[in-house]
Amino acid sequence: MVNPLLEGLKGKRCLVTGAAGMIGRQVIRLLREAGVDVEPTDARSVAGQTILLADLSHFEVCQHVTKNRDFVFHIAGKKGSAKDTHEHASRYLVPMLQMDANMLRACAENGVPRLVYTSSIGAYAASQQPFKEDVDRDFPPMDPICWAKRMGELQIAMAYKERGLNWGCVRLAATYGPHDTFSEGAMLMPSLMFKIKRGDNPVGMGSPYPIRDFLYAGDAAEGIIRAAVKGTNGDFVNLGSGTACTVSELVDTIGKVIPFTYTFDTESPAIYQSRVMDINRAKEWLEWEPKVSLEEGLRRTWEWYLQEESC
């Protein structure tokens, strides 16, 4: 049965940026299962996928790909570990600012009626916990993800105020799933799976104490679609599990799916001690909440990773 929310998208011309990425693929899957006309676009090609190649750092390109679109799902971005984004901030800040500014400006000038912009939990300052939309307005020092994503959020707010465009904007928790980037320098979860797959014995870990909020990509995709359809009134909405999970608890849960040995470095510093989202606004505004448990999401991700690696 097709989700009633998606019935209203039939016959609409939808553009999905970041189509080759983990979340973009899930959004495209849900839309196509509902019979929606989707144009995937990305800066890179992917085997087995028909993708409109587009460099969104150029305004003229953004004008072209967004013309006559009914819905734009702007999911494209640059993803990296906290360590890498802090040590190489300019690799993230400048391209993200260029791409987001051009895409959102082009959508506004082309009068795209429905759009969703994917921001990040990284847009929050490391202060009050759990993160709640209406209390945190301060910037942490020199965090490129925070600065870039908040600039995108500001464009969403201006489009609402100045043009009456009720676009959607979501801040995503630490999202994981099939088609993630699995490497030693990746985010916490795919990096850990990479080391397990590589055969590290034991797997060396940092501190077991930092607290995180993990969201399965399929759940994120449904929330993104809901935000595009419903809009977020010029503001943003958190999409996360709403549940605190320590690194130690994450490792224990992965151990239920993949038996492995590990060691913690309890003296290892963490850039962020705690990052958890309040998701009550998503429940109220979008009628959304996550469905896939952490253990089930990890199982699906690991099974896909093994299958992908064997191809």
Side-chain angles (χ1 to χ4, degrees):
M1 176 182 289
V2 175
N3 187 322
L5 190 76
L6 295 173
E7 288 287 353
L9 290 173
K10 285 188 176 181
K12 304 296 185 181
R13 298 189 66 219
C14 299
L15 177 77
V16 178
T17 73
M22 170 181 62
I23 300 172
R25 288 172 185 259
Q26 294 278 6
V27 169
I28 291 168
R29 175 185 62 81
L30 290 175
L31 293 174
R32 284 182 170 164
E33 285 178 356
V36 177
D37 178 22
V38 182
E39 177 82 84
T41 184
D42 206 293
R44 60 191 174 102
S45 59
V46 176
Q49 256 191 307
T50 301
I51 289 180
L52 173 64
L53 295 178
D55 182 353
L56 302 181
S57 65
H58 299 285
F59 178 63
E60 294 78 12
V61 173
C62 295
Q63 280 184 309
H64 174 71
V65 299
T66 61
K67 190 175 182 179
N68 298 322
R69 301 291 179 182
D70 300 305
F71 280 78
V72 170
F73 297 83
H74 183 37
I75 303 167
K78 286 184 70 67
K79 183 178 178 181
S81 66
K83 181 176 183 292
D84 195 56
T85 57
H86 278 73
E87 292 181 354
H88 306 287
S90 62
R91 294 181 186 175
Y92 296 86
L93 178 64
V94 176
M96 289 170 66
L97 286 173
Q98 290 176 323
M99 177 177 60
D100 291 345
N102 287 330
M103 272 297 295
L104 296 175
R105 176 188 165 196
C107 287
E109 292 190 0
N110 280 333
V112 175
R114 285 304 198 188
L115 171 145
V116 63
Y117 172 67
T118 54
S119 185
S120 165
I121 193 171
Y124 276 109
S127 56
Q128 164 266 345
Q129 296 282 303
F131 294 136
K132 197 169 183 178
E133 295 91 343
D134 59 357
V135 297
D136 183 280
R137 300 294 174 185
D138 297 325
F139 285 94
M142 270 312 293
D143 187 323
I145 302 297
C146 176
W147 287 93
K149 289 301 187 181
R150 287 202 179 187
M151 292 303 100
E153 292 173 1
L154 182 58
Q155 284 184 270
I156 296 294
M158 289 189 296
Y160 182 72
K161 180 179 179 180
E162 298 174 6
R163 299 174 183 261
L165 293 168
N166 187 15
W167 290 347
C169 183
V170 296
R171 283 188 179 179
L172 299 176
T175 308
Y176 70 97
H179 300 285
D180 206 341
T181 300
F182 295 86
S183 67
E184 188 160 6
M187 306 291 280
L188 173 61
M189 194 178 297
S191 172
L192 179 52
M193 286 190 173
F194 171 81
K195 293 173 184 176
I196 296 171
K197 178 69 169 57
R198 186 172 63 183
D200 291 15
N201 186 20
V203 174
M205 301 287 297
S207 171
Y209 307 121
I211 298 169
R212 297 292 180 262
D213 188 337
F214 296 105
L215 178 65
Y216 185 65
D219 284 335
E222 183 179 337
I224 287 168
I225 292 171
R226 285 181 171 274
V229 173
K230 292 174 175 291
T232 57
N233 306 308
D235 212 328
F236 63 89
V237 171
N238 289 336
L239 298 183
S241 71
T243 302
C245 178
T246 66
V247 173
S248 178
E249 289 169 336
L250 169 65
V251 170
D252 288 343
T253 307
I254 291 179
K256 296 176 182 177
V257 178
I258 324 159
F260 73 106
T261 59
Y262 56 88
T263 58
F264 284 118
D265 178 1
T266 57
E267 301 301 317
S268 176
I271 295 176
Y272 300 107
Q273 288 298 327
S274 183
R275 305 189 107 180
V276 183
M277 286 178 154
D278 180 299
I279 60 171
N280 284 314
R281 179 179 286 184
K283 293 177 180 179
E284 179 183 350
W285 287 13
L286 306 182
E287 299 177 273
W288 172 93
E289 57 184 310
K291 300 172 183 174
V292 180
S293 69
L294 180 60
E295 183 176 342
E296 177 59 25
L298 290 170
R299 190 180 308 280
R300 294 181 189 182
T301 304
W302 179 248
E303 289 175 355
W304 176 88
Y305 185 32
L306 290 181
Q307 182 178 10
E308 180 70 10
E309 287 291 297
S310 64
C311 293

